[in-house]
Amino acid sequence: MRVTIGRRTAVAAVLTAAGAAALTVALAPAFSPAWAHGPTRQKVRESIEINAPQDKVWAAIRNFQDMSWLPPVTKTTGEKGNEVGATRTLTLQGGATVEEELYKYEPDMLSYSYRITKVDVKVLPVTNYSSTLTVSPAPDGKSKVEWAGAFYRGFPNNDPPPELNDEAAKTAVSGLYKTGLEALKKKIESGS
């Protein structure tokens, strides 16, 4: 009798283990990271050298409430100046707006960081966007301005339309940064 019960128990254990292994193999693709979809955080970093000392360049960008150096911006309004938690609303050509909040301000490091709190993805195809502007020394008394951002595409679900996919988001942010940095360089170097 013991042998029979022992065999049944052993056979049941083998079948249970085999069933669990088969189930694991069958379900593995569904839970595998390789099969995961959805957006990944994108990053863009652009920089430019400006023929001016750091303090002059910082003076042009340090006021969180002033984005007049960025070409698409026609007006900036806001509250709390350069305090952490300060807000600003950028009014763009055509009337669209972008709302932003300052979350780090380091004047001793010539740097500040902010996030977009509200934007229509038709204006800038991103979500969960944060950005940092930093001025650092460059050779021959020049300055380097770096604009770095991290964000998700404008369409947070699977299978985004082309205008809201990862590439569209990166292209839009990179273009904005390049345009802004070129305009800043021109403004400072021309003395306007």
Side-chain angles (χ1 to χ4, degrees):
M1 193 87 149
R2 274 190 192 159
V3 172
T4 305
I5 293 174
R7 281 188 192 154
R8 286 183 185 164
T9 304
V11 169
V14 167
L15 290 175
T16 301
L23 186 60
T24 300
V25 168
L27 293 177
F31 297 103
S32 169
W35 288 82
H37 289 284
T40 56
R41 195 139 175 92
Q42 303 298 309
K43 294 181 181 179
V44 169
R45 183 178 307 268
E46 299 291 345
S47 64
I48 198 164
E49 275 192 16
I50 298 176
N51 190 11
Q54 287 178 265
D55 59 341
K56 184 175 182 179
V57 175
W58 176 244
I61 67 168
R62 72 176 173 217
N63 182 2
F64 181 67
Q65 302 300 325
D66 178 15
M67 282 291 278
S68 61
W69 53 270
L70 186 59
V73 175
T74 59
K75 179 175 141 186
T76 307
T77 57
E79 297 178 354
K80 298 186 182 178
N82 291 327
E83 294 177 33
V84 170
T87 59
R88 69 181 176 195
T89 299
L90 308 176
T91 302
L92 309 177
Q93 295 168 350
T97 59
V98 180
E99 295 178 21
E100 299 176 330
E101 178 185 26
L102 187 67
Y103 69 88
K104 188 187 295 183
Y105 192 80
E106 300 176 301
D108 53 326
M109 303 293 292
L110 308 183
S111 179
Y112 66 81
S113 301
Y114 64 95
R115 65 180 58 93
I116 291 178
T117 55
K118 184 178 179 187
V119 66
D120 185 332
V121 294
K122 293 175 187 163
V123 174
L124 189 63
V126 299
T127 58
N128 197 19
Y129 169 100
S130 61
S131 184
T132 300
L133 274 165
T134 305
V135 180
S136 59
D140 303 320
K142 296 178 182 179
S143 299
K144 176 182 173 184
V145 179
E146 184 174 81
W147 202 350
F151 47 87
Y152 288 94
R153 66 184 181 222
F155 188 84
N157 299 320
N158 295 335
D159 304 318
E163 69 276 10
L164 297 176
N165 67 18
D166 290 341
E167 197 56 40
K170 287 178 8 184
T171 299
V173 172
S174 180
L176 175 69
Y177 289 2
K178 287 177 182 176
T179 298
L181 293 172
E182 286 291 337
L184 181 63
K185 177 182 176 76
K186 183 177 179 181
K187 175 181 177 170
I188 293 171
E189 290 183 355
S190 70
S192 60

